[in-house]
Amino acid sequence: MLGRSHVRPPPAQSSSPAPAPRTPAALAEPTRPVRRLWVAGISLANLGMWMAFFGPLQVLLPEQVGLLAPDAKETALAWVTGAGAACSTLGTPLAGALSDRTTGRFGRRRPWILAGALLGGLGLVVLGRQDGVLGVLVGWSFVQAALSCLNATLLAAVPDHVPVRQRGVVSGWIGVPQSAGVVVAVLLVTVVVTGIAPGYALLGALTVLCVLPFALLAPDPPLPREARPSWSGFARGLWVSPRRHPDFGWAWLTRFLMQTGNAMFTLYLLYFLTDAVGYEELFPGSSAADGLLVLIAVYTAAVVATTVLAGLVSDRIGRRRGMVCLSGVVSAVPAFLVAAFPTWPMSLACAVVLGVGFGVYLSVDNALVTEVLPSAGGRAKDLGIVNIASAGPQVIAPALAGPIVVHLGGYPVLYTVCGLLSLLGGVLVWRIRGVA
């Protein structure tokens, strides 16, 4: 009979799994609500950025180019603004991708926020001293490139720090400066100061002053080197495949359609008031520009009044797609109405309705987009890609709207097309499956 074995059995292995690697704070999904001071800081920073953007576009660049090239001001201004728009469109995702890969004890976003504000402010001061169209073109392109760094990192701050349940209302507060920035910038460079160079200098200084509190005081966890995205395939990674990330692709397309409709709607409003409404005949002694300022003020007031409330409602009910769809339908209604009834009272009423629709869209769609980003490691780059859907329509709107007005039926057809684009953008949001 064989004796009992004296060989000891191997020690029992623990059944508990190995601990999962800890997600760095810079890449973790935020869960703690941000405070009011943080929201105020990022809203102020956005106000500085949008003033630096709209002040030159609305007033200073047209005046400057008109003085430098009075016989070809339309063509020269088109080249200047087109070059700047190209730098902004391409620079935002590139700056975002670089900030996603930035390591160091100062954080991922802070260096780029500071660089964008300081270089943008300095660029505006230099731009005001140019005495040739080429210098203006180069200067404005530089300013746009600097503002791209600022824009990309401010966009990424929301998914970096704001939990999903709070993103609607925060996006609403951030959307207010985007609308109010037009009015504030125009008042600054036409009432507070006179002259082109002082106007640029004032906007440059205010840009830096508005951004510095958020850049210096807001938390920005550093990204460990071992968690940095790989540099291999960097250029290829600047785009996101709609096939691999369909929700992101549909979100991009819906924004592109909505922004194209809005850009085409507002592009020829001055000429619409002159040629279709007959504003100057209705109000002798007033110009169509006066009527346009009234419409802008009414529209801006409606946007500001609704964007925060809409974001708060979307946070409470947790349903983004339905509200974005509603905003598309509401934005389409005024386009169809002015196409059928080109009168001044109808224009005023439609400015209110369009402002309400775009106010809802501004906050809720921004919150929705942050929920379909492909990865935490590429938030700034991916939001920079989304920004192309906002900036691109500003470039292509003149190419689309001009032939329609001149050759394809005039303003009724133009505003019908605007309404159809907004309506289609609102309907296609239902193709996004990953959010409520």
Side-chain angles (χ1 to χ4, degrees):
M1 181 181 291
L2 294 176
R4 185 175 296 174
S5 172
H6 293 286
V7 178
R8 295 182 179 179
Q13 296 191 6
S14 174
S15 60
S16 60
R22 183 179 179 182
T23 303
L27 302 179
E29 187 67 22
T31 57
R32 181 179 300 177
V34 293
R35 298 181 180 273
R36 294 178 181 177
L37 192 60
W38 188 92
V39 178
I42 194 172
S43 299
L44 182 63
N46 272 278
L47 178 62
M49 180 184 70
W50 290 117
M51 287 192 301
F53 179 78
F54 286 121
L57 275 179
Q58 296 294 323
V59 179
L60 297 177
L61 281 174
E63 288 184 353
Q64 189 176 22
V65 171
L67 291 174
L68 297 176
D71 297 330
K73 57 184 179 182
E74 294 85 358
T75 302
L77 184 61
W79 278 104
V80 170
T81 56
C87 289
S88 175
T89 301
L90 300 176
T92 305
L94 177 60
L98 292 172
S99 77
D100 287 332
R101 289 164 168 78
T102 298
T103 58
R105 62 190 182 94
F106 295 109
R108 286 192 298 171
R109 314 301 184 198
R110 183 174 290 115
W112 295 92
I113 293 176
L114 287 171
L118 294 173
L119 292 176
L122 178 62
L124 286 170
V125 174
V126 175
L127 178 59
R129 300 178 179 276
Q130 298 306 304
D131 56 3
V133 173
L134 181 60
V136 174
L137 186 148
V138 174
W140 180 238
S141 298
F142 177 84
V143 169
Q144 287 286 66
L147 294 179
S148 296
C149 299
L150 182 57
N151 190 25
T153 44
L154 290 178
L155 286 171
V158 174
D160 280 350
H161 298 280
V162 183
V164 170
R165 66 182 182 276
Q166 197 188 11
R167 287 181 188 173
V169 67
V170 171
S171 296
W173 282 113
I174 294 174
V176 169
Q178 183 173 346
S179 301
V182 183
V183 179
V184 174
V186 170
L187 289 176
L188 286 173
V189 299
T190 57
V191 178
V192 177
V193 297
T194 57
I196 294 173
Y200 279 119
L202 177 62
L203 291 177
L206 288 177
T207 299
V208 176
L209 291 175
C210 288
V211 172
L212 277 181
F214 182 77
L216 297 178
L217 301 177
D220 187 17
L223 179 70
R225 286 186 176 274
E226 60 272 15
R228 182 173 61 187
S230 171
W231 287 99
S232 61
F234 172 75
R236 192 169 59 251
L238 287 177
W239 189 245
V240 177
S241 169
R243 181 172 298 180
R244 292 182 58 191
H245 304 282
D247 282 352
F248 184 84
W250 286 114
W252 191 96
L253 180 60
T254 58
R255 175 168 291 199
F256 179 81
L257 292 171
M258 288 283 291
Q259 294 283 14
T260 301
N262 190 68
M264 292 173 63
F265 190 101
T266 58
L267 180 65
Y268 287 121
L269 272 179
L270 181 65
Y271 300 155
F272 172 75
L273 291 177
T274 302
D275 302 332
V277 174
Y279 183 88
E280 295 174 355
E281 287 76 21
L282 290 173
F283 304 98
S286 299
S287 67
D290 298 327
L292 180 61
L293 287 176
V294 173
L295 292 182
I296 291 174
V298 170
Y299 167 82
T300 302
V303 171
V304 172
T306 56
T307 185
V308 176
L309 179 61
L312 179 62
V313 171
S314 76
D315 286 339
R316 293 287 176 85
I317 66 176
R319 298 185 179 276
R320 314 281 193 203
R321 292 186 303 170
M323 293 190 67
V324 173
C325 180
L326 176 64
S327 72
V329 174
V330 172
S331 298
V333 169
F336 294 140
L337 287 176
V338 296
F341 307 102
T343 66
W344 174 244
M346 182 60 72
S347 300
L348 273 175
C350 287
V352 176
V353 178
L354 184 65
V356 170
F358 197 70
V360 174
Y361 171 80
L362 200 59
S363 58
V364 182
D365 187 69
N366 281 340
L368 182 147
V369 166
T370 64
E371 296 184 41
V372 298
L373 298 179
S375 68
R379 289 170 180 151
K381 180 264 294 181
D382 296 333
L383 286 169
I385 294 172
V386 172
N387 187 67
I388 296 176
S390 300
Q394 309 302 321
V395 179
I396 68 171
L400 296 175
I404 292 175
V405 172
V406 176
H407 302 295
L408 299 178
Y411 294 108
V413 176
L414 172 67
Y415 289 119
T416 300
V417 171
C418 294
L420 291 174
L421 288 172
S422 297
L423 191 61
L424 182 60
V427 170
L428 288 180
V429 75
W430 293 106
R431 297 303 300 267
I432 301 173
R433 306 296 186 187
V435 296

